[in-house]
Amino acid sequence: IGGSGSENLAAQNRIAVDADGNCFMTGGTHSIDYPFTPTAVDNTNVCPIGTCSDPVISIFNTLGQLDYSSYFGNDVTGPGMARDVLVDDAGNVFLMGNGSVQIVPNGTAYSSSDGIGFIAKFSSHMELLWSTQFGGSGSATEIMAGDFKSNGDLVVCGITGSESGFPLQPNGSSYYDGSFGGIFDGFVASFNPQMELDWCTYLGAGP
């Protein structure tokens, strides 16, 4: 699957399979003609071809038919990549990665325009319910992976070059490192089912 430009739809990017056997694939594309479906939340790659990439998500059913496919980004300069996708027990789809995206607030859910990491929640019908940037000032933040805890909390991890403005959040006796070290630092963040940020810490040492 792809267009006339180059795609990165494998390598470090993950796929997911839901309870019905549908396959969710993530990645990034330089193509301005990547295949999208009529219900796509974003049907345009705003990147000039060859200069940057746009995050994408594509869903195949059990017959190998393309049920849904969409761009998901609005950055005309930087690299965009959807790096992980998760499906919860209710069929909601969570997409995460790096790149500038449309911000959709939702009640008390975490919402920020800082950073170029992103998290987005879609309904089982791929309606965009909530999305946010994640990170701070300075260098890039990349959300590399996520998973659900048994209580439904979403935990994400990645790397960041942001020493200031990063949304650190101590939480009681949970591990917490508030000091940035090196050029890039790892991080771990936890969101409750309402997508409120419960805990966020750097994870790393010195240079």
Side-chain angles (χ1 to χ4, degrees), residues 44-55:
T44 304
N45 185 349
V46 297
C47 292
I49 189 166
T51 63
C52 59
S53 58
D54 219 19

Side-chain angles (χ1 to χ4, degrees), residues 15-63:
I15 65 172
V17 178
D18 67 13
D20 295 323
N22 300 303
C23 178
F24 297 72
M25 186 176 68
T26 63
T29 181
H30 291 269
S31 299
I32 58 174
D33 54 354
Y34 187 86
F36 62 86
T37 50
T39 57
V41 69
D42 180 1
N43 60 18
T44 304
N45 185 349
V46 297
C47 292
I49 189 166
T51 63
C52 59
S53 58
D54 219 19
V56 290
I57 178 171
S58 298
I59 306 172
F60 293 86
N61 63 28
T62 55
L63 299 177

Side-chain angles (χ1 to χ4, degrees), residues 2-122:
S4 56
S6 59
E7 277 77 36
N8 184 346
L9 304 175
Q12 71 271 38
N13 308 320
R14 287 174 46 172
I15 65 172
V17 178
D18 67 13
D20 295 323
N22 300 303
C23 178
F24 297 72
M25 186 176 68
T26 63
T29 181
H30 291 269
S31 299
I32 58 174
D33 54 354
Y34 187 86
F36 62 86
T37 50
T39 57
V41 69
D42 180 1
N43 60 18
T44 304
N45 185 349
V46 297
C47 292
I49 189 166
T51 63
C52 59
S53 58
D54 219 19
V56 290
I57 178 171
S58 298
I59 306 172
F60 293 86
N61 63 28
T62 55
L63 299 177
Q65 299 164 332
L66 185 63
D67 271 358
Y68 179 87
S69 190
S70 180
Y71 295 108
F72 191 67
N74 60 12
D75 194 345
V76 298
T77 58
M81 184 75 66
R83 298 191 178 275
D84 201 3
V85 59
L86 305 170
V87 184
D88 67 13
D89 292 340
N92 297 307
V93 179
F94 293 78
L95 187 67
M96 59 206 73
N98 57 278
S100 177
V101 301
Q102 176 187 2
I103 299 171
V104 178
N106 189 340
T108 60
Y110 177 86
S111 183
S112 176
S113 59
D114 292 333
I116 64 164
F118 74 81
I119 310 170
K121 179 181 180 180
F122 298 81

Side-chain angles (χ1 to χ4, degrees), residues 84-170:
D84 201 3
V85 59
L86 305 170
V87 184
D88 67 13
D89 292 340
N92 297 307
V93 179
F94 293 78
L95 187 67
M96 59 206 73
N98 57 278
S100 177
V101 301
Q102 176 187 2
I103 299 171
V104 178
N106 189 340
T108 60
Y110 177 86
S111 183
S112 176
S113 59
D114 292 333
I116 64 164
F118 74 81
I119 310 170
K121 179 181 180 180
F122 298 81
S123 72
S124 58
H125 302 293
M126 294 307 293
E127 301 160 321
L128 183 57
L129 302 177
W130 165 79
S131 59
T132 184
Q133 301 289 161
F134 190 82
S137 59
S139 300
T141 296
E142 298 184 9
I143 299 178
M144 308 299 291
D147 209 345
F148 296 114
K149 295 168 64 176
S150 59
N151 64 356
D153 289 356
L154 172 67
V155 180
V156 301
C157 63
I159 59 172
T160 183
S162 296
E163 186 173 2
S164 62
F166 197 77
L168 297 168
Q169 179 69 48

